[in-house]
Amino acid sequence: MLITSIRLNNYRNYSNILINPDSNINIITGPNGSGKTNILESVVVSSNTRSFRTNDDTSLIKHNEDYARIEVTADGTVYKIVLNKNGKSLFVNDEIITRTSNFIGRINAILFKPSDLEFFNSSPRERRKLIDLELGKINKNYLNALLKFNRLLKDKNRLLKENTVDDVYLNLINEQMAPAISILIQEREKFFSFVNSCISEIYRTVSNQNIEIKAVYRKNIDGDILNILNMNKEKDLNYHYAVMGPHHDDYYFLFNSHELSEVASQGQVRMTLISFKFALIRYINEICGIKPIILLDDVLSELDQENKRRLINFLPDDHQIIITDTDADSLMNVKKYKLIRLQGGLNG
């Protein structure tokens, strides 16, 4: 996948800016406040239809403006998102896309950011969101199963809060849930199996430490799904919400057979997450033949010189990569790159 242009209008601090990234490594530099992260964020919004920094789309609109527009050209196709106070509109080659699920993932980008470290201390829900988002972008069956399950879960929880629960309706919801749950579990298992086939090798390369890393998928349902759902109806009724299902799944990492959080340093935790995301990139390439755009938002500044050098060397030559940093001079003596320099206080 290759982005040839990024145009922003009234987006964050930009009135108008056009960037034409190179096919491999691009480094965006500039002082703090010049809008480096805003550019990466716009690519993520083009991929996911939502920001990784806020749930409020209107905050993406430049102050005192009525709308914002993101226009990204990738592989010859123009993807456009227009935001205003009433919502957002999605376009592909000027054709409006009415279903968000038909837009998500057409541009595939994987983001590395300093706050990723919070991932290990966040809630299981936040960890599931990462997997659901990335698997949903490359697998329409997964995305449709997830949307169906979430819709049924909402109906089920609403039903369980009623004073009198219609048992026939509850059984019907469980019957409809089971196939969707089966797809979610199978695809998650498939993903983690792939991750474990390569994450240790990636970690050793980027960290120069001979450590075995394993991602452990902790699923909430194991066995006959419909039977388990029906067997737990009494618990559902007592707690007034669905106690069984993939919405309670989680995963964690082992570091030489010990739980990561108990034995790893902060630097080792950071390199584990970097390795996990590179395993995700390989998975996307394996499953659908797409080479995701790699976005590194001020990540290199968090690493010491040796880890920085190894990570730079590890960056693939056949992917487009966009890096933000305050200083390019200390970054790239190893590979060729295009420098995109932003000026502080300018709006594009």
Side-chain angles (χ1 to χ4, degrees):
M1 175 154 283
L2 181 64
I3 289 177
T4 52
S5 72
I6 303 167
R7 182 183 292 278
L8 306 178
N9 299 107
N10 300 331
Y11 184 86
R12 294 286 195 180
N13 65 316
Y14 294 112
S15 295
N16 183 39
I17 188 171
L18 173 64
I19 292 174
N20 300 111
D22 190 65
S23 60
N24 187 219
I25 297 177
N26 303 268
I27 302 178
I28 301 175
T29 68
N32 291 332
S34 57
K36 300 183 296 296
T37 298
N38 295 344
I39 294 171
L40 296 196
E41 180 189 40
S42 72
V43 176
V44 172
V45 174
S46 300
S47 177
N48 304 341
T49 73
R50 62 182 184 225
S51 168
F52 60 91
R53 299 154 81 190
T54 178
N55 292 321
D56 179 13
D57 286 341
T58 61
S59 67
L60 306 179
I61 302 172
K62 192 172 186 289
H63 185 59
N64 288 332
E65 298 292 346
D66 295 326
Y67 76 97
R69 181 171 61 200
I70 303 167
E71 189 174 291
V72 177
T73 303
D75 294 341
T77 301
V78 180
Y79 302 92
K80 184 165 62 178
I81 299 179
V82 179
L83 307 162
N84 59 45
K85 63 181 180 180
N86 297 318
K88 59 191 164 195
S89 300
L90 311 173
F91 301 86
V92 175
N93 287 335
D94 288 327
E95 179 182 345
I96 193 164
I97 305 298
T98 56
R99 294 183 62 185
T100 302
S101 60
N102 290 334
F103 190 93
I104 289 175
R106 294 203 187 198
I107 294 176
N108 202 305
I110 301 296
L111 174 70
F112 297 72
K113 60 187 188 301
S115 62
D116 281 342
L117 276 183
E118 300 169 5
F119 169 86
F120 293 100
N121 296 319
S122 62
S123 67
R125 179 175 179 271
E126 291 301 312
R127 284 189 288 275
R128 285 193 305 274
K129 276 173 64 176
L130 171 64
I131 302 303
D132 287 342
L133 175 64
E134 299 304 337
L135 295 188
K137 286 196 299 188
I138 63 171
N139 187 328
K140 290 301 180 184
N141 285 337
Y142 186 92
L143 180 59
N144 290 334
L146 181 65
L147 293 173
K148 180 178 181 180
F149 172 76
N150 286 339
R151 183 175 66 251
L152 290 168
L153 179 64
K154 186 176 180 181
D155 290 343
K156 184 174 181 177
N157 285 338
R158 184 167 52 237
L159 176 64
L160 291 169
K161 288 179 172 60
E162 293 181 0
N163 293 328
T164 302
V165 175
D166 184 336
D167 192 59
V168 174
Y169 185 32
L170 184 56
N171 288 337
L172 178 61
I173 291 176
N174 284 344
E175 287 175 12
Q176 293 179 337
M177 268 187 169
I181 292 173
S182 178
I183 292 172
L184 297 180
I185 292 174
Q186 288 174 16
E187 293 302 324
R188 289 174 183 179
E189 287 179 327
K190 181 178 173 183
F191 169 71
F192 283 109
S193 176
F194 181 91
V195 166
N196 287 327
S197 73
C198 62
I199 190 171
S200 293
E201 171 254 313
I202 295 171
Y203 183 89
R204 286 191 287 269
T205 303
V206 297
S207 71
N208 199 33
Q209 294 180 342
N210 188 21
I211 303 292
E212 287 295 322
I213 308 292
K214 183 178 181 181
V216 180
Y217 172 38
R218 183 185 287 150
K219 56 187 175 182
N220 178 253
I221 289 183
D222 190 5
D224 185 325
I225 295 171
L226 182 56
N227 186 48
I228 291 171
L229 292 177
N230 288 332
M231 284 177 59
N232 283 273
K233 282 197 300 182
E234 196 64 36
K235 284 186 180 179
D236 291 342
L237 292 166
N238 288 337
Y239 287 103
H240 303 291
Y241 66 84
V243 299
M244 302 299 293
H247 57 302
H248 293 300
D249 285 357
D250 196 8
Y251 56 98
Y252 61 95
F253 293 84
L254 295 180
F255 195 81
N256 274 348
S257 301
H258 300 280
E259 192 154 352
L260 179 73
S261 60
E262 296 176 357
V263 297
S265 68
Q266 187 175 42
Q268 290 170 326
V269 169
R270 179 176 286 110
M271 298 309 286
T272 298
L273 188 54
I274 287 173
S275 302
F276 178 56
K277 288 203 171 182
F278 273 111
L280 170 60
I281 289 167
R282 287 190 184 181
Y283 185 74
I284 294 169
N285 195 5
E286 176 82 12
I287 294 301
C288 52
I290 293 174
K291 298 184 188 304
I293 298 149
I294 300 173
L295 308 174
L296 282 77
D297 185 28
D298 202 28
V299 169
L300 295 176
S301 64
E302 302 286 321
L303 304 176
D304 61 40
Q305 283 303 119
E306 278 303 303
N307 280 330
K308 185 185 296 186
R309 180 185 60 79
R310 279 190 292 269
L311 180 57
I312 290 170
N313 278 326
F314 188 75
L315 294 175
D317 293 328
D318 57 351
H319 285 62
Q320 188 173 47
I321 300 159
I322 306 177
I323 301 169
T324 66
D325 203 277
T326 54
D327 177 22
D329 296 334
S330 65
L331 297 182
M332 309 296 280
N333 296 318
V334 182
K335 295 192 176 185
K336 293 182 179 180
Y337 62 93
K338 178 175 182 177
L339 180 63
I340 301 167
R341 195 181 299 277
L342 304 179
Q343 302 299 318
L346 296 182
N347 293 327

